[in-house]
Amino acid sequence: MAEIVVPELAESITEGTIAKWLKQPGEQVNKGEFIVELETDKVNVEVISEEAGVVSELLVAEGDTVEVGQVIARVGEGGAASAPAAAPAPKAEEAPVAQAEPVAEESSSMDRAIASPAARKLAREKGIDLNAISPVDPMGRIRVQDVEAHAAAPKVPAAPAAPAKAAAPAPAQDDGRVTREKMTRRRQTIAKRLLEVKQSTAMLTTFNEIDMTNVMELRKRKKDDFFEKNDVRLGFMSFFTKAVVAALKKYPYVNSEIDGDEIILKNYYDIGIAVSTDGGLVVPNVVDADRKNFAEIEAAIGELAVKARDNKLTIADMTGGSFTITNGGVFGSLMSTPILNGTQVGILGMHTIQRRPIAVGDNIEIRPMMYVALSYDHRVIDGKDSVGFLKMVKELIENPEDLLLGS
């Protein structure tokens, strides 16, 4: 009898949700064949069977939360199961909850959390369990400011249990006027992280507008040749990615993060590109965007978008971002204030292109205009750098030949 165990996924991921069983009791499974799809905070992972045989038992149901190392199914020998166990029904209030495998040593609970040495030391001094802290970092790494925020948070006393006779009445029968839908693990994580960013940063947004005339004309002239040579379409995202990298090099504090009382300046340019999926917004990274040409950037963005919508993103795709670009314009947004992504201190928001009357010299002309927004952490970035950064992005997009010559 072989056991199917939740595998180690990444240092910051300790649990997941059973998204879908790909095999049912009584079905044959081959060694290395996928048996279950697991949804984590960041990516979906398909778990394989290490042995060939017949699925004899599923220990948890779809929608259940499971921990790394937990046994979730068993595979028996033979070509058929004598009496296969049915998949467990959706959990009821009185149904037993599947238990995780016991931890070998209680003292290891602090080690399971991923934290910087300074954060780990501060947590020990304050007597705080690292596993009780909700980090801002999207990859789950706990930093000094997370420990300090947890220590400063008001402690809510537990409410006394109400006597049995004062128990609340059972909820009224659903009359069809509302529908309750459990949030997915990813949606819960998105909600928690966005709230934490708003509460733990001094976020501010500055705006500008870009005349898209020149970049649209250049794209129109070059798009056919570009596709013929590179087998990928020339879009606006490569221009904005190139412009952002150039601006980050001139304003390096926009490409940094805070760790306690230190600023970490990043000497790499992994640009996160926000992608909307049915499960929520994800931000995979174009790694080393400064070393890629236009075609390589467009190909990377296209590949990441497909992987995101097919739930095929890996932990590596989501790790290491230094700055993020989000394009609400694809949905028709005219203006918005994007929220910072994890520990990053800057995010650029693109918006829909709208033809508007603009003063050009002494004349009024109708031009295709785009509002852009830079949200930034004011603890690191002052107004001079934020305005200068956004102004440089504007100038480069309005003079796209400079980007082509510099790439």
Side-chain angles (χ1 to χ4, degrees):
M1 183 73 67
E3 294 180 334
I4 304 299
V5 177
V6 178
E8 293 284 346
L9 302 167
E11 288 184 335
S12 62
I13 299 178
T14 60
E15 63 180 20
T17 300
I18 301 296
K20 183 179 180 181
W21 282 107
L22 305 177
K23 295 288 184 179
Q24 294 297 323
E27 293 185 0
Q28 187 77 28
V29 61
N30 298 319
K31 183 177 180 179
E33 188 176 5
F34 295 127
I35 191 170
V36 64
E37 183 178 343
L38 187 69
E39 182 185 57
T40 72
D41 294 353
K42 302 169 184 68
V43 295
N44 281 27
V45 178
E46 291 175 319
V47 179
I48 65 171
S49 174
E50 298 291 348
E51 301 291 340
V54 173
V55 179
S56 60
E57 187 178 11
L58 304 182
L59 301 179
V60 288
E62 292 181 358
D64 283 359
T65 297
V66 293
E67 297 184 0
V68 169
Q70 181 177 341
V71 179
I72 56 176
R74 293 189 175 93
V75 175
E77 298 178 355
S82 55
K91 291 190 293 184
E93 202 168 301
E94 66 276 10
V97 178
Q99 296 296 319
E101 291 294 302
V103 179
E105 297 181 23
E106 187 176 345
S107 62
S108 67
S109 63
M110 286 283 283
D111 296 331
R112 289 178 58 192
I114 307 303
S116 67
R120 197 174 290 276
K121 178 176 181 294
L122 182 61
R124 282 198 299 268
E125 293 173 351
K126 293 181 176 291
I128 297 175
D129 182 357
L130 286 173
N131 293 294
I133 298 174
S134 297
V136 173
D137 187 342
M139 295 306 297
R141 183 176 174 86
I142 297 171
R143 302 184 185 278
V144 169
Q145 59 266 40
D146 298 318
V147 180
E148 293 174 341
H150 181 86
K155 304 298 184 291
V156 181
K165 64 180 180 180
Q173 184 70 25
D174 183 6
D175 60 3
R177 296 178 65 190
V178 298
T179 300
R180 287 188 178 272
E181 181 179 292
K182 183 176 177 60
M183 295 172 71
T184 64
R185 171 168 294 278
R186 190 165 302 147
R187 176 58 65 184
Q188 293 177 49
T189 301
I190 290 171
K192 181 178 72 172
R193 296 271 161 77
L194 290 178
L195 183 61
E196 288 170 351
V197 167
K198 290 282 286 184
Q199 293 175 337
S200 62
T201 64
M203 197 180 82
L204 194 62
T205 305
T206 186
F207 300 91
N208 211 320
E209 61 179 353
I210 297 176
D211 184 344
M212 299 290 289
T213 301
N214 291 338
V215 72
M216 291 175 71
E217 290 180 351
L218 177 62
R219 178 174 174 266
K220 184 177 180 180
R221 293 198 311 269
K222 299 290 186 180
K223 65 178 182 179
D224 292 337
D225 288 342
F226 187 88
F227 183 77
E228 184 177 341
K229 292 178 181 177
N230 303 293
D231 197 29
V232 65
R233 299 192 182 282
L234 178 61
F236 294 126
M237 289 304 299
S238 53
F239 286 95
F240 275 90
T241 302
K242 281 288 187 182
V244 159
V245 168
L248 289 174
K249 289 181 177 180
K250 183 173 181 180
Y251 299 95
Y253 284 94
V254 186
N255 199 45
S256 69
E257 67 176 80
I258 293 178
D259 184 11
D261 59 356
E262 295 180 335
I263 297 175
I264 301 174
L265 294 165
K266 300 174 182 178
N267 300 317
Y268 59 90
Y269 304 90
D270 294 353
I271 306 301
I273 305 294
V275 179
S276 179
T277 71
D278 292 340
L281 197 70
V282 294
V283 188
N285 301 304
V286 176
V287 178
D288 293 331
D290 58 318
R291 301 179 184 178
K292 289 181 167 61
N293 59 32
F294 277 74
E296 291 168 334
I297 290 174
E298 291 290 355
I301 292 174
E303 179 183 349
L304 291 171
V306 170
K307 290 172 70 174
R309 289 167 187 142
D310 291 344
N311 286 325
K312 300 299 183 183
L313 288 172
T314 65
I315 297 296
D317 293 327
M318 307 285 286
T319 305
S322 61
F323 185 89
T324 295
I325 302 174
T326 180
N327 185 5
V330 296
F331 304 111
S333 172
L334 183 62
M335 184 178 289
S336 66
T337 56
I339 297 178
L340 296 172
N341 180 24
T343 59
Q344 297 173 17
V345 297
I347 180 171
L348 179 73
M350 298 165 57
H351 300 92
T352 193
I353 300 172
Q354 186 181 65
R355 294 182 64 81
R356 299 196 300 271
I358 299 294
V360 180
D362 294 330
N363 300 317
I364 301 295
E365 297 184 12
I366 305 298
R367 294 288 185 96
M369 305 297 295
M370 175 193 286
Y371 288 118
V372 287
L374 174 70
S375 291
Y376 60 97
D377 192 336
H378 209 351
R379 296 176 301 167
V380 181
I381 305 168
D382 293 328
K384 179 182 178 182
D385 278 4
S386 62
V387 172
F389 176 93
L390 198 57
K391 186 171 180 286
M392 184 172 179
V393 171
K394 166 187 169 68
E395 291 171 348
L396 288 171
I397 297 297
E398 290 183 344
N399 299 278
E401 289 84 358
D402 294 344
L403 289 173
L404 288 173
L405 292 173
S407 65

